């Protein structure tokens, strides 16, 4: 079954043309930066699938096809100032906000250079530098704390904004409803963005909700709702930017539904997605609506076309950067076993001291 786009906010046609009456955000330099970051997300995705198949990491969730949504969201935020409570597929938001490839690779490998010290499962990146909270594997449990973060921002009188992202599957969870309900009651500065990629693992959107899209639920929680073409990076940027600005001015929360599609599997847990629950016809339908290709057509129409040689050179450069980041992460080795006892308690409790001594004796015995 092919799920067609309804009539969301759209700035660019599928041929790259600009919709009548639209005022485009950004400058040609901004547009090139958007394209380059989308290309980085796409190539990073390809490299990580390879890394997974080589057995060098154990979990990865692809973002191919969702680059426009994620890069558009990230572009609307102030890195290191605003906060993101995302989900595990949000590498595109992190990269747009300035995440280092070295840190992403180190987290994927749980290596010694991982800022999270190898304490999360792969592909659950987090960064204190850019206020990007480490994702959880549990679905929708980031929504209540995102509302709490935004409530704290309101009470403290900061002009920070929280963005909370999730897939369409999260909207069936109790945490999602609790978080949005409180956000509406408290009118917190939070923008909730549903990255609606049409499938909650193997469950189609039609089995997730009987409402007319996720955005229809916004009214029930007392907040505006906007549905946007998630394969149109300029429309996503503009819609999220408007919601962020409104929240920053004290206007309360917004629910944004970005309609997009994941071209690959949900994760390596269902790598055979095209044969098990999606038809090849459906995947091909959305591949023909590739957000990266659409944006390249737009650039060409604006007189900033990217030649095949320029694209190949950019891809080769990105591959080198990604390979170097992975190599650097692998060269840093594994975290020292002692590090698992650090950072939690100022004074280590007695039972942990016993465990520490036991492990120390085992390590010394193994080395002797």
């Amino acid at each position: 079954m092919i799920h067609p786009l309804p009539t969301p906010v759209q700035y660019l046609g599928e041929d790259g043309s600009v919709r009548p009456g639209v005022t485009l955000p950004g400058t040609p330099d901004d547009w090139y930066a958007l394209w380059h970051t989308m290309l980085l997300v796409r190539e990073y995705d390809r490299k990580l699938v390879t890394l997974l198949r080589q057995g060098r990491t154990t979990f990865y969730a692809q973002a191919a096809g969702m680059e426009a949504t994620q890069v558009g969201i990230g572009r609307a935020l102030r890195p290191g100032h605003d906060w993101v409570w995302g989900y595990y597929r949000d590498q595109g938001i992190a990269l747009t906000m300035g995440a280092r490839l070295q840190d992403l690779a180190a987290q994927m490998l749980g290596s010694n250079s991982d800022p999270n010290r190898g304490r999360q499962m792969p592909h659950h990146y987090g960064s204190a530098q850019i206020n990007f909270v480490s994702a959880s594997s549990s679905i929708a449990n980031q929504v209540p704390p995102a509302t709490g973060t935004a409530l704290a921002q309101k009470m403290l009188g900061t002009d920070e904004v929280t963005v909370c992202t999730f897939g369409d599957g999260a909207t069936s969870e109790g945490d999602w409803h609790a978080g949005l309900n409180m956000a509406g009651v408290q009118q917190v500065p939070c923008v909730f963005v549903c990255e609606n990629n049409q499938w909650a693992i193997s469950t189609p959107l039609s089995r997730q909700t009987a409402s007319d899209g996720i955005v229809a639920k916004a009214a029930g929680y007392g907040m505006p709702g906007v549905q946007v073409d998630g394969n149109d990076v300029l429309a996503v940027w503009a819609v999220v930017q408007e919601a962020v600005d409104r929240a920053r001015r004290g206007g309360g929360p917004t629910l944004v539904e970005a309609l997009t599609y994941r071209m690959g599997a949900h994760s390596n847990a269902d790598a055979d997605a095209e044969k098990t629950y999606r038809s090849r016809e459906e995947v091909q339908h959305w591949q023909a609506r590739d957000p990266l290709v659409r944006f390249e057509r737009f650039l060409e129409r604006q007189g900033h076309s990217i030649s095949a040689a320029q694209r190949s050179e950019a891809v080769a450069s990105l591959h080198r950067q990604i390979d170097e980041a992975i190599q650097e992460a692998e060269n840093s080795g594994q975290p020292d076993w002692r590090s698992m006892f650090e950072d939690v308690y100022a004074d280590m409790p007695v039972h942990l001291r016993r465990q520490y001594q036991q492990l120390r004796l085992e390590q010394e015995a193994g080395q002797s």
Side-chain angles (χ1 to χ4, degrees):
M1 178 179 179
I2 295 173
H3 309 289
L5 287 175
T7 53
V9 175
Q10 191 179 65
Y11 279 26
L12 305 180
E14 291 175 4
D15 60 356
S17 60
V18 179
R19 294 299 192 198
V22 164
T23 300
L24 296 174
T27 65
D29 285 345
D30 293 324
W31 301 339
Y32 179 79
L34 290 173
W35 170 79
H36 192 266
T37 307
M38 290 170 66
L39 189 64
L40 168 60
V41 179
R42 178 67 58 88
E43 298 308 319
Y44 178 80
D45 199 79
R46 287 180 174 149
K47 280 285 182 180
L48 265 291
V49 171
T50 301
L51 201 71
L52 189 68
R53 290 173 178 168
Q54 292 173 337
R56 294 157 74 186
T57 188
T58 56
F59 179 81
Y60 182 66
Q62 289 185 254
M66 300 173 64
E67 295 89 350
T69 292
Q70 297 187 358
V71 172
I73 294 170
R75 186 63 179 78
L77 300 175
R78 297 179 186 172
H81 184 77
D82 297 325
W83 285 70
V84 174
W85 284 84
Y87 81 136
Y88 43 71
R89 202 185 304 279
D90 277 337
Q91 55 266 39
I93 300 177
L95 287 167
T96 308
M97 295 180 72
R100 299 172 68 244
L101 278 170
Q102 291 88 341
D103 292 341
L104 284 169
Q107 200 282 319
M108 284 295 304
L109 298 169
S111 66
N112 195 39
S113 57
D114 174 13
N116 299 326
R117 312 188 79 178
R119 294 172 181 173
Q120 258 281 29
M121 67 179 287
H123 203 40
H124 287 63
Y125 166 84
S127 168
Q129 283 70 40
I130 59 173
N131 295 339
F132 196 94
V133 182
S134 181
S136 168
S137 289
S138 301
I139 304 303
N141 75 347
Q142 74 272 31
V143 182
T147 296
T149 300
L151 179 58
Q153 291 164 341
K154 178 182 178 181
M155 293 174 71
L156 292 171
T158 72
D159 68 343
E160 299 167 2
V161 171
T162 296
V163 164
C164 179
T165 65
F166 40 83
D168 40 299
T171 64
S172 298
E173 298 288 338
D175 276 352
W176 188 84
H177 295 280
L180 264 76
N181 188 60
M182 180 61 77
V185 169
Q186 296 291 339
Q187 288 295 291
V188 299
C190 190
V191 179
F192 300 95
V193 185
C194 177
E195 300 179 31
N196 182 355
N197 64 21
Q198 315 296 322
W199 288 91
I201 307 183
S202 58
T203 303
L205 181 65
S206 59
R207 295 295 183 92
Q208 282 294 333
T209 180
S211 65
D212 186 14
I214 305 302
V215 72
K217 304 175 191 296
Y221 298 115
M223 64 182 74
V226 185
Q227 195 177 55
V228 62
D229 183 344
N231 283 9
D232 179 345
V233 65
L234 294 182
V236 175
W237 177 13
V239 164
V240 176
Q241 187 72 68
E242 184 176 345
V244 165
D245 291 346
R246 197 175 76 85
R248 211 184 298 283
R249 294 193 304 268
T254 301
L255 173 62
V256 176
E257 179 184 9
L259 294 162
T260 183
Y261 193 78
R262 63 169 164 83
M263 295 181 185
H266 170 268
S267 70
N268 50 304
D270 71 335
D272 204 19
E274 285 187 26
K275 296 179 180 176
T276 53
Y277 59 84
R278 302 194 303 193
S279 68
R280 181 169 296 277
E281 179 190 22
E282 175 183 315
V283 175
Q284 290 175 341
H285 170 84
W286 284 95
Q287 284 175 336
R289 287 150 183 80
D290 187 323
L292 198 49
V293 173
R294 185 196 296 193
F295 200 62
E296 288 172 357
R297 290 171 179 159
F298 159 75
L299 291 174
E300 184 176 357
R301 284 175 173 270
Q302 297 298 311
H304 306 290
S305 61
I306 296 165
S307 68
Q310 288 173 314
R311 197 181 198 283
S312 296
E313 185 179 344
V315 168
S317 174
L318 291 172
H319 283 190
R320 284 194 297 273
Q321 293 173 46
I322 296 167
D323 287 342
E324 288 171 4
I326 293 171
Q327 191 63 55
E328 182 178 318
E330 289 182 325
N331 290 344
S332 72
Q334 295 300 306
D336 187 275
W337 66 268
R338 298 173 185 82
S339 70
M340 76 173 86
F341 294 93
E342 299 171 354
D343 303 326
V344 179
Y345 296 101
D347 296 310
M348 194 184 301
V350 173
H351 68 285
L352 287 184
R353 286 187 181 281
R354 290 198 193 101
Q355 292 178 26
Y356 178 90
Q357 293 299 336
Q358 180 64 35
L359 276 173
R360 183 179 64 79
L361 291 173
E362 291 177 5
Q363 291 290 322
E364 290 175 354
Q367 293 170 0
S368 61

